[in-house]
Amino acid sequence: MFRRSWRHAAAATAALLALTSITACSDDPAESQDLSENRAGAMDGYAVGTQFKATEPVSFPILYNNHPNYPLKNDWLFWSELKSRTNVTLEPVAVPLSDYEQKRSLLIGAGDAPLLLPKTYPSQEEPYVSSGAILPVSDYLNLMPNLSDKIEKWNLGPEIDTRRQDDGKFYLLPGLHEKAWHDYSLAVRTDILEELNLEVPKTWDDLYLVLKAMKAAYPDVYPFSDRFSQPNPGGNLLNILAFSYGLQGAGWNFQHTSWNAQAQKFEYTGATEQYKQMLQYLNKLVSEKLLDPESFTQTDDKARQKLANSQSFVISANAQAVVNDYRPDLSRNPDAKIAKIPLPIGPAGEINPADRLENGLMISSKARDSKNFVAMMQFVDWLFYSDEGQEFAKWGVEGQTFVRDAAGKPTLAPDVDIIGLNPGAPKHLQKDFGFYNGVFAYGGKPELVQAFFSEEEQQFQEVMNARAPRVVPPPHPFTDEEREQVSLWATPLRDHVYQATLQFILGQRDFAQWDAYLAELKSKNMDSYMETVTKAYERFRDKNN
């Protein structure tokens, strides 16, 4: 009906370069701008606790990350109920999950991006800032009372500051959590642990010993065969290991810089001693045939197949993967049991790497000229940041997808399942109704975020919440000129880190060549990159202290 497919890729072969041709929007805060011609459909008196409903029918195009686990359907209850409640029709521009980032860049570069650009992760907005392709959303917080209220009540100012650019503004509306929570870790066949008299590994060193014991008992098996490696090799594994080694992120969350709190300076992540130690650990697992070398290239389906066939016993996981993927995969083996274990502890100690901000929404600067601009900002505020909108996006419609108990607490309707909470129920909250959709449902109060957590996931969170939060690095926003220069250095540096990372892990390159690798990074302007980061950090620090 209103589904549109991605298009115009051919017109955008040089996407990021084309961004410079898009006219920049005003830098004036909304209070000083004349929005009288942009209020069609907007509500008067919209505030916290107000049900947003446009005063006339409006529609907004939105880039839609089409997840294979719950592919887009035009007849979802989500769409019709959203229109009924808000008088808004969303027009999805459907893009496959696997191509989302690339095609988003191409669409923006072609000047053909939809107005709403969700599922954008921190720093992904930066290439589009200087061109004016995306809106400085912080200029319009007065149009978003729910967002402003949560930032203030939850004391999120320090985290929000890390998203500001050198002009003091931020360009990405982030998902907000009242409390940090961490999801990704490893899942382990606990029946194999019991069979071999092994404890659940608490540290990465413990995991090594567990894998060795599994290998001794099952010599023809790679005990650990991983997934989440496409499009970023070792996507999750490298990321959670990086946190455990005190780095800001690697793999699918690769961060060029990590903050050294002791030295009070930024360091290039891929050149640190911690990064080297992390790769040495993984190389040890591969060389001793404890970790399947295909882990860094194979598809998720291939990794799941190996787990299902008892060709492996350990795999990356989040809460949904354990329930939706691994347990059904293992159902043919009545003795098989699997569980997600607390994130193993590494040299950085017991830390919870979770951030209270997560992926969020960019808004095309073209929206500012729309007659419905104010209504759009009110709608976004209600859907993504109001308690009512967040409950709707996650739970759905009372009486159809959920009911309330005597205390008013939502519970799934008996005929609706999600994450195995109602096993055997004929309908699925995501697949059949479109709710709990990663494009719309994230963040909120702990009782909302943890609403679908099983008892075992609650126990996982209890362990993780007892750990100290990781240090939030200080802001270091670039000027337009710095950003342009850094963007030229960033891709060759990242690509070389990725390439060398795999070579060191798989034994294709000896660690005796580490110094040569560092020299290669220097030849790709690593030192200049870090000098720019340091300059930006010191400038922002001095300006705001």
Side-chain angles (χ1 to χ4, degrees):
M1 183 172 63
F2 48 72
R3 179 177 180 176
R4 302 193 307 181
S5 62
W6 171 78
R7 64 204 192 287
H8 298 297
T13 39
L16 295 182
L17 292 177
L19 292 174
T20 57
S21 66
I22 300 175
T23 303
C25 62
S26 170
D27 288 330
D28 295 330
E31 293 91 334
S32 63
Q33 296 183 43
D34 180 7
L35 295 172
S36 59
E37 300 298 318
N38 310 95
R39 298 192 59 87
M43 294 180 66
D44 293 329
Y46 174 69
V48 174
T50 301
Q51 167 63 56
F52 170 78
K53 188 162 190 177
T55 59
E56 61 184 56
V58 295
S59 61
F60 305 121
I62 183 169
L63 195 63
Y64 184 85
N65 191 331
N66 203 6
H67 201 291
N69 288 352
Y70 38 96
L72 176 64
K73 295 180 180 178
N74 296 330
D75 62 352
W76 274 339
L77 179 62
F78 176 86
W79 305 119
S80 57
E81 184 67 21
L82 184 69
K83 183 177 180 180
S84 174
R85 295 190 186 196
T86 66
N87 216 8
V88 172
T89 297
L90 288 177
E91 301 173 349
V93 178
V95 175
L97 170 66
S98 58
D99 296 330
Y100 190 75
E101 292 179 20
Q102 178 187 10
K103 292 186 177 179
R104 181 182 58 206
S105 295
L106 292 171
L107 283 167
I108 296 174
D112 199 39
L115 299 185
L116 303 177
L117 300 160
K119 296 301 288 183
T120 301
Y121 286 81
S123 78
Q124 289 181 347
E125 80 278 16
E126 291 179 0
Y128 318 119
V129 169
S130 60
S131 66
I134 58 172
L135 201 69
V137 289
S138 57
D139 280 352
Y140 302 94
L141 294 185
N142 68 311
L143 304 179
M144 308 184 73
N146 289 289
L147 170 60
S148 301
D149 181 64
K150 282 181 167 55
I151 291 174
E152 180 180 0
K153 283 185 176 178
W154 296 350
N155 192 29
L156 285 163
E159 284 99 325
I160 291 291
D161 282 346
T162 65
R163 305 293 172 85
R164 296 186 185 276
Q165 303 301 319
D166 189 62
D167 58 8
K169 303 176 183 184
F170 58 90
Y171 292 73
L172 177 65
L173 291 170
L176 306 181
H177 289 268
E178 182 177 8
K179 303 291 184 182
W181 72 281
H182 180 74
D183 189 4
Y184 284 86
S185 185
L186 302 177
V188 179
R189 281 276 300 272
T190 53
D191 60 304
I192 302 296
L193 294 181
E194 293 168 3
E195 174 193 329
L196 301 179
N197 237 356
L198 300 170
E199 297 290 329
V200 172
K202 294 183 178 180
T203 69
W204 289 101
D205 288 338
D206 291 342
L207 178 68
Y208 167 72
L209 297 175
V210 164
L211 295 175
K212 279 186 70 73
M214 289 177 169
K215 184 69 175 179
Y218 295 90
D220 296 330
V221 165
Y222 281 111
F224 187 178
S225 188
D226 210 19
R227 66 179 295 190
F228 299 140
S229 287
Q230 294 184 348
N232 303 112
N236 175 63
L237 178 58
L238 285 167
N239 193 43
I240 59 177
L241 263 170
F243 293 143
S244 301
Y245 278 78
L247 302 171
Q248 294 302 132
W252 60 17
N253 183 38
F254 177 73
Q255 301 293 313
H256 286 280
T257 62
S258 290
W259 176 247
N260 185 328
Q262 185 174 359
Q264 288 290 291
K265 68 175 184 178
F266 283 98
E267 298 173 334
Y268 193 78
T269 298
T272 60
E273 181 63 25
Q274 298 99 305
Y275 198 84
K276 177 183 179 182
Q277 292 172 3
M278 177 180 78
L279 301 190
Q280 288 174 324
Y281 174 82
L282 291 173
N283 172 258
K284 179 171 68 172
L285 299 188
V286 170
S287 64
E288 296 185 24
K289 298 186 177 180
L290 308 178
L291 173 61
D292 184 356
E294 293 184 358
S295 294
F296 300 92
T297 54
Q298 67 188 354
T299 65
D300 283 7
D301 286 346
K302 184 68 173 177
R304 288 174 57 185
Q305 184 181 24
K306 291 177 180 178
L307 182 74
N309 294 335
S310 293
Q311 294 174 297
S312 70
F313 307 128
V314 180
I315 191 171
S316 279
N318 57 23
Q320 291 194 52
V322 172
V323 175
N324 291 344
D325 297 344
Y326 306 150
R327 285 176 182 157
D329 290 347
L330 289 164
S331 60
R332 291 172 296 174
N333 182 350
D335 297 324
K337 295 186 293 184
I338 192 165
K340 186 176 75 167
I341 66 172
L343 181 64
I345 300 165
E350 296 190 34
I351 60 168
N352 184 340
D355 191 343
R356 290 202 295 164
L357 306 184
E358 60 167 294
N359 73 82
L361 184 77
M362 292 189 299
I363 295 178
S364 170
S365 58
K366 295 181 296 185
R368 174 60 182 79
D369 297 326
S370 167
K371 67 177 183 177
N372 303 125
F373 174 65
V374 175
M376 189 192 73
M377 298 302 288
Q378 292 176 345
F379 166 75
V380 167
D381 180 67
W382 179 83
L383 179 59
F384 289 91
Y385 297 107
S386 75
D387 291 346
E388 298 78 13
Q390 289 178 336
E391 181 184 86
F392 165 73
K394 184 157 190 171
W395 281 97
V397 180
E398 185 174 359
Q400 296 190 58
T401 59
F402 76 94
V403 295
R404 295 189 189 275
D405 61 19
K409 180 180 177 182
T411 58
L412 281 174
D415 61 344
V416 178
D417 183 37
I418 188 70
I419 319 180
L421 295 179
N422 279 338
K427 301 173 185 175
H428 192 274
L429 188 64
Q430 293 171 314
K431 296 176 183 177
D432 296 318
F433 297 101
F435 297 105
Y436 196 29
N437 185 318
V439 175
F440 304 108
Y442 53 78
K445 299 176 180 178
E447 55 266 33
L448 179 71
V449 173
Q450 300 179 17
F452 298 152
F453 287 2
S454 63
E455 183 176 344
E456 64 179 306
E457 181 62 18
Q458 296 280 6
Q459 294 172 353
F460 174 90
Q461 293 300 326
E462 187 176 341
V463 173
M464 296 304 299
N465 288 339
R467 300 182 181 181
R470 68 185 176 105
V471 175
V472 177
H476 55 285
F478 299 127
T479 64
D480 289 347
E481 183 179 354
E482 288 170 341
R483 187 182 301 107
E484 182 179 355
Q485 181 61 69
V486 163
S487 67
L488 296 176
W489 296 330
T491 299
L493 280 168
R494 183 191 63 228
D495 290 349
H496 193 69
V497 171
Y498 281 176
Q499 179 186 41
T501 293
L502 282 183
Q503 291 172 337
F504 283 120
I505 291 172
L506 299 177
Q508 298 166 352
R509 191 167 187 180
D510 193 274
F511 283 95
Q513 297 182 37
W514 186 259
D515 287 344
Y517 158 68
L518 296 182
E520 291 157 8
L521 291 179
K522 289 177 182 291
S523 73
K524 296 183 183 297
N525 298 295
M526 179 182 70
D527 289 345
S528 297
Y529 186 103
M530 293 311 303
E531 287 169 6
T532 306
V533 169
T534 300
K535 180 181 177 181
Y537 156 63
E538 292 175 346
R539 181 177 60 242
F540 191 91
R541 179 197 62 193
D542 295 344
K543 188 187 303 182
N544 292 277
N545 284 344

